[in-house]
Amino acid sequence: VVLILGVNAIGTINKVRAFSYYNQSQKATKIEDAEMLVTKAAQVYPFDGFYRVLVEYAITSNRNLVSSDSKDQEALKNAYLAKSQKAVDAGLAAVKLNQNNYQNYVTLGRAYELAIPFDKEGGFANAKKSYAEALKLYPENPYLYLMLARLETSAGTKEGVRNSLTDALKKKQNFADALYLMSQLQASENDVDGAIAYAIEAIKSAPNDPATYVQAGLLFYGKASSGRESRDDAQKDYANAVLALKTALEKDPNNANI
């Protein structure tokens, strides 16, 4: 009994220390310092949540790398791949600690996606497998299907995108993000009327999102400019385009691209 109590006490102390490191990381001003503190937390008290955070730090670090002005592309590539591998290792550690938490598989999928720029087939296959495991645990979550759709977009598989978005909309009919992407998909296949219909539904579902209005505005403008409409129909579509883009600017007055 004394031994068990001693082990429990040590576990409790380590947990307190770990979360102390984690709390310090939230106050860090540099991502490197925050990452170091969370790494310490995970070493002291292995917790899947810490490893998920480490993956997010790796994703942010790689985004910063890509946007940097480094002239040494080989060094940048090596740093990117090294950080990507750290992300995968952290994702695998999270899954190993708790195989029943769908978030761990989502995080692992996001880690594998980092490899896609340099290993398109491998990164895609591993990420897709991870998201599939997440769906087994939480099949009613529409956001998981959306993540799959975005992954399929990176691979250029339109049918995969359509299937995943359709599944997402079956789970949540007014899912604005899925409706928006479906609008883009229809537009890429030159189905302008279908694209406009989805864009309008996206506006209904997310009336405060300027991106949905921009999408609709550009589609209406493109249709009006196509030369395939009667003069009256073209004028109506121009009017709809102006209204949509004007509304987008009202929602986001600082957007210079509208």
Side-chain angles (χ1 to χ4, degrees), residues 100-144:
N100 296 316
N101 188 337
Y102 82 95
Q103 293 180 5
N104 292 336
Y105 290 100
V106 170
T107 296
L108 180 58
R110 284 168 55 75
Y112 278 128
E113 281 197 63
L114 289 174
I116 289 178
F118 299 102
D119 181 15
K120 186 173 182 178
E121 291 185 4
F124 173 81
N126 286 325
K128 187 172 183 178
K129 182 179 178 181
S130 297
Y131 293 146
E133 290 298 320
L135 276 167
K136 288 180 183 178
L137 294 171
Y138 197 173
E140 299 304 312
N141 189 331
Y143 290 93
L144 298 182

Side-chain angles (χ1 to χ4, degrees), residues 183-196:
S183 175
Q184 291 185 321
L185 178 63
Q186 295 300 103
S188 73
E189 296 180 341
N190 297 317
D191 180 6
V192 179
D193 288 334
I196 288 175

Side-chain angles (χ1 to χ4, degrees), residues 154-247:
S154 71
T157 52
K158 287 188 177 181
E159 194 59 33
V161 175
R162 184 181 303 282
N163 290 338
S164 294
L165 290 177
T166 298
D167 288 335
L169 291 170
K170 285 179 181 177
K171 303 300 179 183
K172 185 179 179 182
Q173 291 183 347
N174 63 340
F175 192 4
D177 288 344
L179 291 165
Y180 179 83
L181 287 180
M182 191 67 93
S183 175
Q184 291 185 321
L185 178 63
Q186 295 300 103
S188 73
E189 296 180 341
N190 297 317
D191 180 6
V192 179
D193 288 334
I196 288 175
Y198 277 113
I200 290 173
E201 289 302 313
I203 288 174
K204 292 178 181 177
S205 298
N208 294 317
D209 184 356
T212 59
Y213 293 95
V214 171
Q215 174 79 352
L218 293 176
L219 288 167
F220 275 120
Y221 180 79
K223 186 180 179 184
S225 306
S226 66
R228 294 192 292 270
E229 293 188 302
S230 67
R231 183 177 179 181
D232 287 344
D233 287 341
Q235 287 180 339
K236 289 178 183 178
D237 285 331
Y238 272 126
N240 285 330
V242 170
L243 177 60
L245 294 174
K246 181 180 178 181
T247 304

